[in-house]
Amino acid sequence: MESSIKLEIPKKQLYEKKNYEPLLLECLNRIPFFIKKSGGGFSAPKSESNGQCDAIGNNGCYSVDFKLLLSQEGAQNVNETSLTKVTLCKGVTMSAPSKASMRRESSLPFPNIWGFLVSHSFSLNENSEIILTDKADKYMKDTIKSLNKMVCTKKNLLFFHPSRLVIQDSHDNPIEVLRNSAKEALLIVSKARRKLSPGYETYYALLINNEMVLLSEDFTHTGCIELTSLDTWHNLYIKL
């Protein structure tokens, strides 16, 4: 049976820092891997006026900054009527924005990081910057430019994509479906980060089925949490 990964565009509340930052912070504080990294947990900074990270470790020496990979404006033109199927590998398809809908989009950084990356060919140039190896229009070039700017951030980063991935008709673990098929879409980001921001770690937070899944830069599974067990998600769900 063919497996499919459906993209669900999030409600506008998930694009607001006041909502997604507490959500990610609670997730970090629920996963043993990150609790150990932080020396007992993370807290939000009192101020971000000097570029402080979004999650400050109790040990005072390990912090993580959150990067949102989807703007609210970037999702407005990406709805179910503009989605097309992309084959990730034999037997696995994923819904992604059509090229026409992507070219209409003017805002950055991404209407759909998965659909964008798996639909195009990427490589690193001699300066370890991410480049498109296939023909690119202005929108694609601007998107890659924005991505490269994020990659150069000299902080530990947690990239969060607020669209929920619903894996259907799969006999496999959802993590494994992504690990074995779609991970190439973000591994190029990890590779660029290791070259351009050595010494800083990279993580990915993805909404998969009914869980928040956190992965390391090489897609090692660091933890997952049922969304309904998160107080921040419950409060956000009421708003949604």
Side-chain angles (χ1 to χ4, degrees):
M1 180 182 294
E2 182 178 274
S3 300
S4 64
I5 302 176
K6 179 183 178 183
L7 175 75
E8 287 190 353
I9 303 300
K11 302 295 184 180
K12 64 180 182 180
Q13 286 87 345
L14 261 182
Y15 303 104
E16 299 175 3
K17 289 172 68 70
K18 66 179 182 180
N19 290 325
Y20 74 76
E21 287 186 352
L23 175 66
L24 295 176
L25 187 64
E26 183 180 1
C27 288
L28 294 184
N29 286 329
R30 294 278 297 275
I31 295 176
F33 174 89
F34 290 104
I35 294 173
K36 183 178 180 179
K37 279 275 190 181
S38 63
F42 291 93
S43 58
K46 295 181 180 179
S47 170
E48 294 185 31
S49 58
N50 294 319
Q52 290 90 336
C53 287
D54 299 310
I56 309 297
N58 289 351
N59 56 16
C61 60
Y62 193 83
S63 301
V64 178
D65 205 41
F66 303 145
K67 294 294 185 183
L68 191 67
L69 286 179
L70 179 70
S71 66
Q72 181 177 343
E73 295 81 7
Q76 288 179 346
N77 289 332
V78 183
N79 51 51
E80 289 190 4
T81 61
S82 66
L83 294 178
T84 187
K85 283 190 176 182
V86 174
T87 300
L88 299 178
C89 63
K90 184 177 181 180
V92 180
T93 62
M94 177 181 175
S95 60
S98 66
K99 291 184 178 181
S101 69
M102 290 169 64
R103 290 194 176 98
R104 289 198 305 270
E105 181 50 58
S106 60
S107 61
L108 298 175
F110 306 100
N112 171 14
I113 183 68
W114 291 103
F116 187 91
L117 293 180
V118 302
S119 301
H120 298 86
S121 298
F122 295 84
S123 64
L124 298 184
N125 63 15
E126 63 276 9
N127 297 318
S128 297
E129 297 173 326
I130 301 170
I131 59 172
L132 278 163
T133 55
D134 53 3
K135 186 176 180 180
D137 57 21
K138 184 180 184 300
Y139 166 73
M140 296 179 194
K141 291 178 180 178
D142 286 345
T143 300
I144 294 300
K145 183 178 179 180
S146 178
L147 179 56
N148 277 315
K149 183 178 179 179
M150 290 184 184
V151 164
C152 292
T153 302
K154 298 301 186 286
K155 297 177 180 179
N156 300 315
L157 296 184
L158 173 62
F159 289 101
F160 173 53
H161 194 282
S163 292
R164 191 165 71 102
L165 301 175
V166 181
I167 300 177
Q168 302 170 317
D169 303 323
S170 174
H171 297 293
D172 301 313
N173 183 298
I175 305 294
E176 292 302 316
V177 172
L178 288 174
R179 187 194 304 271
N180 295 326
S181 57
K183 71 175 183 179
E184 297 300 326
L186 290 177
L187 285 180
I188 191 70
V189 177
S190 297
K191 185 177 181 180
R193 283 274 294 165
R194 287 193 293 270
K195 295 280 189 178
L196 298 174
S197 299
Y200 294 95
E201 296 178 321
T202 307
Y203 305 99
Y204 303 101
L206 303 172
L207 297 171
I208 303 177
N209 291 347
N210 297 313
E211 296 179 323
M212 174 76 82
V213 178
L214 281 87
L215 304 165
S216 66
E217 64 181 24
D218 61 355
F219 261 54
T220 300
H221 184 203
T222 60
C224 63
I225 305 171
E226 286 286 338
L227 292 172
T228 54
S229 72
L230 296 167
D231 292 336
T232 47
W233 180 263
H234 177 72
N235 294 335
L236 182 59
Y237 184 79
I238 293 175
K239 297 178 185 178
L240 298 176

